[in-house]
Amino acid sequence: MLFMDSRRLNDFTLPVPKELHKLTNYILREGKTKPNIFLSSGNLSLSRVIREKLDTNQPLCPLEDDVYTVSFVLLDFLSCLLTPVLPAPLLDGAVALYESSGDTDNSVLHSLLFKLPKDNAMSFVYLLSFFREMLACSDANKL
């Protein structure tokens, strides 16, 4: 389960960016059964408010923060990273390895994880876990 003790958010031991943690936990808590959760752009003015909350370490609130907008902010956060979680050369190499070998997905994933910098690998595994939990509700959320 991805939910982590929120008291640890201020510790420097959190293995993923606090923004990633807050956004994914909120989506799992409030929106994992919402249909088409990642296809809606959400409310642009509310997305600014959510970003401000992330920047100032304020909690996200179900009564104020629309889960569709939170999912939009998550996708935007990931697309705006200076260094992507999966840098293009490593992603291209993993795709080529998968296509050229008749090997299992696990060996390609294992190879990719060893090539990633530690922080990227932690975030990548965290995101895989997040999407696995979201896919567990695919009948409801249409993923």
Side-chain angles (χ1 to χ4, degrees):
M1 184 92 152
L2 280 175
F3 296 107
M4 294 171 49
D5 184 352
S6 61
R7 293 172 295 174
R8 294 183 49 108
L9 280 177
N10 292 325
D11 291 353
F12 290 100
T13 59
L14 191 65
V16 297
K18 70 175 175 47
E19 298 87 355
L20 179 60
H21 168 75
K22 281 187 169 188
L23 293 167
T24 55
N25 276 356
Y26 185 85
I27 294 166
L28 286 174
R29 191 173 57 249
E30 302 297 329
K32 89 172 151 180
T33 60
K34 300 283 187 183
N36 303 313
I37 188 73
F38 297 108
L39 298 179
S40 172
S41 62
N43 181 307
L44 288 178
S45 61
L46 183 55
S47 70
R48 289 185 199 96
V49 172
I50 291 168
R51 285 184 185 96
E52 180 69 23
K53 286 183 176 185
L54 292 171
D55 290 342
T56 58
N57 207 23
Q58 296 177 36
L60 298 177
C61 175
L63 298 177
E64 301 169 4
D65 302 317
D66 172 59
V67 71
Y68 287 95
T69 304
V70 172
S71 68
F72 169 74
V73 171
L74 171 64
L75 295 176
D76 191 50
F77 171 78
L78 292 171
S79 69
C80 290
L81 291 172
L82 291 177
T83 303
V85 173
L86 286 178
L90 288 179
L91 178 59
D92 293 343
V95 169
L97 179 62
Y98 179 76
E99 289 175 346
S100 68
S101 71
D103 220 341
T104 65
D105 296 341
N106 287 337
S107 67
V108 173
L109 181 61
H110 190 261
S111 171
L112 178 63
L113 286 175
F114 276 106
K115 292 177 183 173
L116 282 171
K118 180 182 175 186
D119 291 341
N120 292 53
M122 299 287 276
S123 293
F124 182 66
V125 170
Y126 189 85
L127 285 167
L128 287 178
S129 298
F130 167 70
F131 284 114
R132 182 182 306 141
E133 288 192 42
M134 292 298 293
L135 285 170
C137 298
S138 62
D139 288 344
N141 63 27
K142 310 296 183 218
L143 289 179

